[in-house]
Amino acid sequence: MATSTAQSTPNKTTQDQLRAYVERIERLEEEKKVLSQDVTGIYQEAKSNGYDVKAMRRIIQIRRLDPQVAAELDELVDLYKHALGMV
Amino acid sequence: MATSTAQSTPNKTTQDQLRAYVERIERLEEEKKVLSQDVTGIYQEAKSNGYDVKAMRRIIQIRRLDPQVAAELDELVDLYKHALGMV
């Protein structure tokens, strides 16, 4: 539990504190899950309107990067493609 | 873009639609990130109060499972520990 003292004799306070932490985390994780489901729903909607989900995921990955970093990544991927005989 | 017609001649509408999808997803991903940071903050707070983060993560993982599934998992883990000479 919370402290070395609490480890040997967990009391009501540390139990309540632990429970509060765990339940707060679980609520946030639940909210994250709902958001993830919303994201999945948007991808499905986009797909049903003819957009390619893999390409959209790639776009979102690229937009997340600094443009300089994205350009360097492109160069490295090209380099690796050549190294692996993929082009 | 959205349709085979749109692929060759992407128009303003499909561009706007694609942009709207991407931006909606990015907003949701941003909200998820904030929630993840909140979760990290709670773990840090718990740690500073003497709780063990790994044990808390294990607890949250277990509570997420159906009790029957959690019990079966415990049994399997014990079996694997024996098989691998870990006990």
Side-chain angles (χ1 to χ4, degrees), chain A residues 1-2 14 17 21-22 24-26 28 31-32 35-36 38-39 42-43 45 49-51 60 63, chain B residues 1-2 14 17 21-22 24-26 28 31-32 35-36 39 42-43 45 49-51 56 60 63:
Chain A
M1 303 289 284
T14 57
Q17 195 179 33
Y21 283 134
V22 167
R24 278 168 66 198
I25 290 167
E26 285 176 339
L28 292 171
E31 288 178 46
K32 278 172 64 183
L35 290 172
S36 292
D38 290 347
V39 169
I42 297 174
Y43 278 120
E45 187 188 325
N49 280 320
Y51 296 93
I60 282 164
R63 281 164 57 106
Chain B
M1 304 290 285
T14 56
Q17 195 179 32
Y21 283 134
V22 167
R24 277 168 66 196
I25 290 167
E26 285 176 340
L28 293 170
E31 287 178 48
K32 277 171 65 183
L35 290 172
S36 292
V39 169
I42 296 173
Y43 278 120
E45 187 188 324
N49 279 321
Y51 296 93
M56 286 179 67
I60 282 164
R63 281 164 58 104

Side-chain angles (χ1 to χ4, degrees), chain A residues 7-57:
Chain A
Q7 266 170 15
S8 45
T9 55
N11 59 35
K12 189 74 172 57
T13 307
T14 57
Q15 280 180 14
D16 288 348
Q17 195 179 33
L18 179 61
R19 182 173 299 278
Y21 283 134
V22 167
E23 289 178 352
R24 278 168 66 198
I25 290 167
E26 285 176 339
R27 275 193 296 276
L28 292 171
E29 293 292 356
E30 185 55 39
E31 288 178 46
K32 278 172 64 183
K33 192 176 159 189
V34 171
L35 290 172
S36 292
Q37 288 165 341
D38 290 347
V39 169
T40 301
I42 297 174
Y43 278 120
Q44 282 172 342
E45 187 188 325
K47 187 178 178 180
S48 72
N49 280 320
Y51 296 93
D52 185 276
V53 170
K54 278 202 184 73
M56 286 179 67
R57 287 192 185 277

Side-chain angles (χ1 to χ4, degrees), chain B residues 26-66:
Chain B
E26 285 176 340
R27 276 193 296 276
L28 293 170
E29 293 291 357
E30 185 55 38
E31 287 178 48
K32 277 171 65 183
K33 192 176 159 189
V34 170
L35 290 172
S36 292
Q37 289 166 342
D38 290 348
V39 169
T40 302
I42 296 173
Y43 278 120
Q44 282 172 344
E45 187 188 324
K47 187 178 178 179
S48 73
N49 279 321
Y51 296 93
D52 185 277
V53 170
K54 278 203 184 74
M56 286 179 67
R57 287 191 185 277
R58 179 85 63 90
I59 287 293
I60 282 164
Q61 183 191 43
I62 293 166
R63 281 164 58 104
R64 200 180 290 151
L65 300 173
D66 174 89

